Amino acid sequence: MRPTMKDVASAAGVALKTVSRVVNGEPGVHPGTAERVRAAIDRLGYSRNESARVLRRGRTATIGLVIEDVADPFYSGLSRAVEDVVIEHGCLLLSGSSGEEPGRERELVEAFCARRVDGLIMVPAGEDHTYLRPELEAGTPVVFADRPPGAGIDVDTVLADNVGGAGEAIRHLMGHGHRRIAFLGDDPGIFTAAERLKGYREVLGGLFDERLVSMRPPSMEAVRADLARMFALDDPPSALFTGNGRYTVTALRALDGRRVALVGFDDFELSDLLDPRVSVVAQDPARMGRVAAELLFRRLRGEAGPPEHVELPVRLIARGSGELPPG
């Protein structure tokens, strides 16, 4: 059995209230008595029941975070920034990956809520979030990051400018003489993938060609097949726009040294060391995580008002690959 405050009081020969004052750093205890209490604490190995303390205050001092995949560099950066803010506020972060499975997303949210987290930050996998209504009605603040909630749920949301960033990438490639620009993107059911396709299509306008678009989860086999099909056309693409960091890396491997102008959405490690160096549309996952977490803690402090919908800017980094001329 873990030692209790009563055990410490008995060992130190003092009242329970005296032990409580020493443990909580309150005044009114004689220095000699306080030293005797601390000695008893060390001898018994007593530690304060933090859970019971915060529960008495109506909080658990925990925050739940649901992301797509902790192994993805974008989400690991976001997660670390959230954790930094959570620690700054003296709380503990509970996190889990949904793996793009709506059922897993809901399981994680319900598990966190069953543990009475004070608030939630979510990168959603599904489109139906009506299951959150009981928690929202109970006063649990929820912030969505990277993707918005499904219809019928309006909460604080932090997104990136996906449409604008994709459009900037296409204008950059067109500015270097390209008119046949292929797009490799993730499943179109994913909000960010659909938004980047929208930006790509809007800027191309009448140059848009459905044959130069492939949208499905990235794999080496799929990307090789898509590129082979596109390059076999009578009017093949001279440039490539990839919809996220994983797609960019997979496409570079599938190209196997073939020089094609390329701009990828999302920066990635070592992108500036390749030949040519890879031009990207860079997001700031750390900023997204920090903004989302700070929004959550403002709500926890009692800040009212309508839900905030924040769109963070992105920036194009021209390094060389996006500046190659048509072959």
Side-chain angles (χ1 to χ4, degrees), residues 132-196:
L132 284 171
R133 283 179 179 155
E135 292 300 325
L136 293 171
E137 290 168 0
T140 303
V142 179
V143 178
F144 277 67
D146 192 42
R147 308 169 188 174
I153 300 294
D154 189 16
V155 296
D156 294 324
T157 307
V158 183
L159 308 176
D161 183 8
N162 294 287
V163 174
E168 187 174 1
I170 303 310
R171 280 189 292 271
H172 185 74
L173 289 167
M174 293 177 72
H176 285 82
H178 298 277
R179 296 297 178 268
R180 300 287 290 166
I181 304 171
F183 175 49
L184 299 180
D186 215 326
D187 186 330
I190 298 173
F191 171 81
T192 50
E195 290 288 283
R196 292 166 195 174

Side-chain angles (χ1 to χ4, degrees), residues 66 98 100-106 122-129 131 144 147-151 189-191:
V66 178
S98 69
E100 288 292 7
E101 296 179 12
R104 175 61 177 160
E105 170 205 298
R106 181 168 181 169
M122 296 177 56
V123 176
E127 297 181 357
D128 180 7
H129 299 103
Y131 67 86
F144 277 67
R147 308 169 188 174
I190 298 173
F191 171 81

Side-chain angles (χ1 to χ4, degrees), residues 208-230:
F208 176 79
D209 184 345
E210 192 74 49
R211 297 175 300 169
L212 298 184
V213 175
S214 176
M215 299 193 72
R216 51 178 168 171
S219 71
M220 182 59 70
E221 294 76 15
V223 172
R224 283 189 191 279
D226 289 332
L227 291 176
R229 174 182 58 79
M230 293 174 182

Side-chain angles (χ1 to χ4, degrees), residues 64-70 79 93-99 104 108 112 121 123:
L65 171 66
V66 178
I67 56 177
E68 179 204 338
D69 182 2
V70 71
S79 177
L93 183 68
L94 307 178
S95 64
S97 301
S98 69
R104 175 61 177 160
L108 284 167
F112 291 156
I121 298 173
V123 176

Side-chain angles (χ1 to χ4, degrees), residues 246-296:
R246 283 179 293 182
Y247 243 116
T248 304
V249 171
T250 305
L252 287 168
R253 287 173 174 154
L255 286 168
D256 196 23
R258 181 169 185 163
R259 291 176 77 84
V260 177
L262 181 148
V263 176
F265 207 110
D266 287 337
D267 205 356
F268 60 95
E269 193 172 5
L270 304 183
S271 59
D272 59 340
L273 297 180
L274 299 176
D275 181 23
R277 296 184 300 166
V278 182
S279 299
V280 298
V281 175
Q283 301 189 75
D284 190 342
R287 183 180 178 191
M288 181 176 287
R290 175 164 286 275
V291 170
E294 288 173 346
L295 258 175
L296 185 75

